[in-house]
Amino acid sequence: MAANGNGVSTTPKSPLARIQTQKNGGICHDDSGKPVKAQTIDELHSLQKKRSAPTTPLDGVQGTFATISEDERQRQQLQSISASLASLTRGTGPKVVRGDPAGKVQSVSHVAHHHHIEAPTISVSDSSLKFTHVLYNLSPAELYEQAIKYEKGSFITSTGALATLSGAKTGRSPRDKRVVIDDTTQDELWWGKGSPNIEMDEHTFMVNRERAVDYLNSLDKVFVNDQFLNWDPQNRIKVRIVSARAYHSLFMHNMCIRPTPEELENFGTPDFTIYNAGQFPCNRYTHYMTSSTSIDLNLARREMVILGTQYAGEMKKGLFSVMHYLMPMRQILSLHSGCNMGKDGDVALFFGLSGTGKTTLSTDHNRYLIGDDEHCWSDNGVSNIEGGCYAKCIDLSREKEPDIWNAIKFGTVLENVVFDEHTREVDYGDKSVTENTRAAYPIEYIPNAKIPCVGPHPKNVILLACDAFGVLPPVSKLSLAQTMYHFISGYTALVAGTEDGIKEPTATFSACFGAAFIMLHPTKYAAMLAEKMLKHGATGWLVNTGWSGGSYGSGNRIKLPYTRKILDAIHSGSLLNATYHKTEVFGLDIPTEIEGVPSEILHPENTWADKKAYKETLLKLAGLFKKNFETFTNYKIGKDNKLTEEILAAGPNF
């Protein structure tokens, strides 16, 4: 470096820009913030998270935890959870403490001290010497962390959903689901031929309960969800789910109704409790056990025990079975249906088995979605039982199901899907794990969901059937007796493949469109449905989304736009004013014309080239209906047999 005559330094030319400095004594300006107050990395991490403050003022609060301190509220909460985990041998519950056992002990400035509930010292055991950490009503973000860190097979997909595995079981195990039979349930529940209820005694239930509770108490931590069922505030049920997996906790967080902080503070004692010890098998030497799996319901104790299956759908459908028992006891009808509402407040119920289009047709961008699967019909109107949706994902595409596609984001649980190991993009067509891939997400993820999920009394009750025989009309208006008959029948037809590639229709009947979940005799639900329809002026419709012009293989599937036009006419009320004529055999009233639908397809016989084949197929299906209904003919509804006879008369006549 050299200096010129003016005393200014000169430097050789350089491709780099010259650094300019301020004339402040040669010291560069420091624009950084104040240093952090932490002295260690652990202290820095503790500053990252702030404790959630109670949102409910203590003064004037009514309920279990009213006018008590935060410490006392937490103590009572833990005491309730400990009581839920009580073992028969100990009499009271284990020592429980809030928080993740892997986490650092909180400083005194954040929490005064840990509360725990002492177990009696009747006998010393390893479990009585340890604490069980309770992870209580964690947020989706917290549950993501738990799943990713501790549960093998948990990954975040490219859209932000949590992909999980349900283990060896990728579907429900109906043959392993049992209900305790006692003096009350022996008379109230549906037992015997056709019933989904398999009996077990009280002693065997308690053996399995003890096994599940001991397993859960042996763990360092358990997940506890306190949530609600039924959006009708007058008839909601408080449920507690105790589980060992973050996957199960997040699944139920999505599927049950999520309490507000205020509701959680006043939650109190649950009405029903699930003990999910699905990672641990039942003892096959225990009476009634036929495998390592058992899903046990005890209605008297209001408890459910799960052993030997990690499939989360067992919890959802187990609680649905419970609602099928508890709600009718309150004169509330529980329904396996979809439900939506028009902008004018007209509500429609959609019943249908798998493949009938229930989810697709109940999801209408011109109508509000109340729910996609489980509902109650009370004197207050209709209400969704759940707080989320459990959608099938196999062959899912943005074009076919845009709402479901867009709902698969952060917070959603994806069960048993296959994804690219690098990009984490899900291949919904891949069945490597199972065909029963599922997504569980909060109902708020659907753009046109009605929150709260309640509505007025339904105007239309729509029974969907995918008739692969091709003999049922696209739409029929049903009398009250016909509605009961077809509701009890719960018909659809599946297309089953044979080894040589030939496919033929197979009739499937499921009472009340959900036989696997009902607790009472189907005719009891049908009688309640008819009573409510009569009282509130609802109309029954049978809509065929299956084949026309021949059976599967010779005919064609009824086009979805035609079915939507039919539903539009039902919703608007215009179809009530149409001209009708009766069909033979089934005696169904079918309209002569519907706007936007070719009139020739409204009567199925018109679309068959071979009239003789049509008649033979029609009589074949009618015979299948009659054979199926033999299970219900001996059950009397009411004091006399009049109502039963009316239902039987509404069936096919040939």
Side-chain angles (χ1 to χ4, degrees):
M1 181 182 293
N4 61 20
N6 297 325
V8 179
S9 64
T10 60
T11 58
K13 291 184 178 181
S14 168
L16 299 175
R18 187 168 61 182
I19 299 174
Q20 301 289 338
T21 60
Q22 295 181 358
K23 296 179 180 180
N24 56 355
I27 300 174
C28 293
H29 174 67
D30 182 4
D31 60 355
S32 64
K34 294 180 180 180
V36 295
K37 297 178 181 179
Q39 300 299 313
T40 67
I41 193 67
D42 286 341
E43 286 185 25
L44 179 60
H45 288 169
S46 71
L47 294 173
Q48 189 181 22
K49 302 175 186 175
K50 68 176 183 178
R51 192 177 179 199
S52 300
T55 56
T56 306
L58 296 178
D59 295 334
V61 178
Q62 300 298 317
T64 308
F65 300 136
T67 63
I68 59 174
S69 67
E70 178 66 13
D71 280 355
E72 178 63 16
R73 179 181 290 110
Q74 287 198 18
R75 192 194 71 80
Q76 291 189 14
Q77 210 170 54
L78 287 173
Q79 193 171 25
S80 174
I81 293 168
S82 180
S84 292
L85 286 166
S87 163
L88 292 176
T89 54
R90 288 194 299 273
T92 58
K95 300 174 184 178
V96 293
V97 63
R98 288 188 72 153
D100 186 352
K104 299 292 183 183
V105 177
Q106 291 176 300
S107 62
V108 176
S109 62
H110 286 137
V111 58
H113 58 277
H114 286 301
H115 290 298
H116 65 269
I117 310 301
E118 295 288 348
T121 56
I122 298 172
S123 60
V124 179
S125 65
D126 289 342
S127 60
S128 67
L129 297 175
K130 66 179 281 293
F131 286 101
T132 299
H133 288 74
V134 174
L135 302 181
Y136 183 71
N137 274 52
L138 296 190
S139 67
E142 292 172 304
L143 291 168
Y144 265 55
E145 292 168 4
Q146 290 288 325
I148 297 299
K149 285 170 69 176
Y150 303 114
E151 296 179 13
K152 195 172 182 179
S154 297
F155 298 89
I156 300 175
T157 69
S158 60
T159 61
L162 181 69
T164 65
L165 292 172
S166 65
K169 296 293 179 75
T170 58
R172 290 183 300 103
S173 303
R175 294 181 182 178
D176 294 310
K177 183 181 174 184
R178 298 172 179 84
V179 184
V180 172
I181 186 168
D182 54 30
D183 292 341
T184 302
T185 57
Q186 185 172 8
D187 296 328
E188 290 179 342
L189 301 193
W190 178 27
W191 304 101
K193 184 181 178 182
S195 168
N197 302 317
I198 303 170
E199 69 177 67
M200 73 185 307
D201 58 31
E202 173 83 10
H203 175 75
T204 304
F205 175 86
M206 296 308 292
V207 169
N208 282 354
R209 182 192 186 277
E210 187 80 349
R211 191 171 175 90
V213 166
D214 282 348
Y215 169 74
L216 292 167
N217 287 336
S218 73
L219 303 174
D220 287 335
K221 65 186 177 188
V222 294
F223 298 89
V224 177
N225 293 39
D226 279 349
Q227 297 182 251
F228 299 114
L229 295 177
N230 197 352
W231 282 83
D232 178 358
Q234 294 182 19
N235 295 294
R236 72 181 182 184
I237 301 295
K238 297 185 292 184
V239 293
R240 171 168 292 163
I241 303 100
V242 185
S243 59
R245 291 191 62 182
Y247 148 49
H248 292 150
S249 186
L250 181 57
F251 177 91
M252 294 307 279
H253 169 88
N254 290 347
M255 294 311 303
C256 294
I257 299 166
R258 293 157 289 284
T260 64
E262 293 85 354
E263 290 170 333
L264 200 57
E265 288 173 5
N266 294 277
F267 192 84
T269 304
D271 299 313
F272 199 89
T273 303
I274 292 179
Y275 300 98
N276 189 341
Q279 290 168 288
F280 199 64
C282 64
N283 188 335
R284 298 192 193 196
Y285 285 99
T286 305
H287 191 37
Y288 295 102
M289 300 300 104
T290 55
S291 73
S292 60
T293 299
S294 194
I295 302 100
D296 308 328
L297 280 176
N298 189 323
L299 296 172
R301 289 183 61 91
R302 306 290 175 93
E303 291 178 340
M304 178 180 175
V305 170
I306 298 175
L307 290 164
T309 174
Q310 297 177 63
Y311 181 65
E314 294 288 8
M315 295 183 287
K316 165 188 159 65
K317 290 305 186 183
L319 287 176
F320 190 30
S321 294
V322 170
M323 294 296 279
H324 268 312
Y325 174 76
L326 295 178
M327 292 297 101
M329 297 302 163
R330 301 184 184 185
Q331 301 306 307
I332 298 170
L333 177 59
S334 49
L335 301 164
H336 187 213
S337 69
C339 182
N340 65 25
M341 184 180 80
K343 292 178 173 59
D344 295 329
D346 58 297
V347 170
L349 292 172
F350 292 81
F351 295 90
L353 301 178
S354 179
T356 59
K358 182 183 70 170
T359 302
T360 301
L361 295 172
S362 61
T363 304
D364 187 332
H365 291 156
N366 297 315
R367 297 173 65 83
Y368 299 109
L369 179 69
I370 293 176
D372 73 329
D373 196 42
E374 304 176 8
H375 294 87
C376 286
W377 189 352
S378 70
D379 290 338
N380 302 325
V382 69
S383 58
N384 191 348
I385 289 175
E386 301 179 299
C389 303
Y390 193 35
K392 290 182 178 179
C393 290
I394 194 67
D395 296 326
L396 179 68
S397 68
R398 189 195 299 268
E399 295 73 30
K400 290 181 181 177
E401 300 284 359
D403 286 342
I404 297 175
W405 179 275
N406 293 327
I408 299 175
K409 55 187 179 180
F410 180 82
T412 296
V413 175
L414 275 175
E415 281 183 331
N416 301 315
V417 297
V418 177
F419 51 84
D420 185 277
E421 65 178 358
H422 176 60
T423 64
R424 297 293 197 264
E425 290 184 5
V426 178
D427 181 355
Y428 292 107
D430 196 316
K431 307 172 186 177
S432 298
V433 179
T434 178
E435 191 170 332
N436 188 33
T437 52
R438 296 270 184 165
Y441 49 86
I443 195 166
E444 299 95 304
Y445 284 14
I446 299 297
N448 62 328
K450 185 183 180 301
I451 308 294
C453 303
V454 296
H457 297 286
K459 285 188 176 180
N460 293 294
V461 175
I462 300 166
L463 311 183
L464 300 171
C466 178
D467 178 30
F469 289 97
V471 294
L472 291 182
V475 62
S476 317
K477 182 160 69 81
L478 304 176
S479 67
L480 208 55
Q482 284 177 323
T483 303
M484 294 172 75
Y485 181 89
H486 287 279
F487 176 70
I488 293 171
S489 296
Y491 163 74
T492 194
L494 305 177
V495 179
T498 57
E499 290 183 6
D500 60 0
I502 299 172
K503 296 183 177 182
E504 57 182 20
T506 303
T508 299
F509 297 93
S510 183
C512 307
F513 293 93
F517 321 118
I518 61 177
M519 303 293 282
L520 312 179
H521 195 277
T523 52
K524 292 189 176 182
Y525 299 103
M528 289 183 71
L529 177 63
E531 180 185 351
K532 292 186 179 295
M533 288 179 65
L534 187 63
K535 182 177 180 180
H536 301 289
T539 305
W541 306 88
L542 180 64
V543 174
N544 174 22
T545 62
W547 271 255
S548 176
S551 298
Y552 177 86
S554 59
N556 298 301
R557 188 82 187 257
I558 297 171
K559 294 180 180 179
L560 181 59
Y562 293 162
T563 303
R564 289 207 180 275
K565 286 289 185 182
I566 289 169
L567 291 178
D568 289 344
I570 291 173
H571 295 320
S572 69
S574 63
L575 204 53
L576 286 172
N577 302 319
T579 303
Y580 288 87
H581 68 267
K582 280 193 181 296
T583 65
E584 58 181 348
V585 183
F586 279 91
L588 299 170
D589 287 331
I590 58 176
T592 55
E593 61 178 348
I594 299 173
E595 185 179 351
V597 182
S599 297
E600 60 268 18
I601 75 165
L602 295 176
H603 196 306
E605 187 175 7
N606 294 340
T607 63
W608 281 63
D610 189 338
K611 306 300 182 186
K612 181 181 178 183
Y614 165 79
K615 189 66 177 286
E616 290 174 350
T617 308
L618 179 66
L619 292 175
K620 178 182 178 180
L621 181 60
L624 294 172
F625 265 85
K626 275 193 175 278
K627 183 178 180 181
N628 171 71
F629 217 82
E630 289 172 359
T631 307
F632 314 113
T633 53
N634 296 326
Y635 196 88
K636 184 184 293 186
I637 304 176
K639 294 180 180 179
D640 55 35
N641 215 33
K642 184 178 179 182
L643 191 55
T644 308
E645 291 173 353
E646 286 182 8
I647 297 173
L648 288 172
N653 186 14
F654 61 100

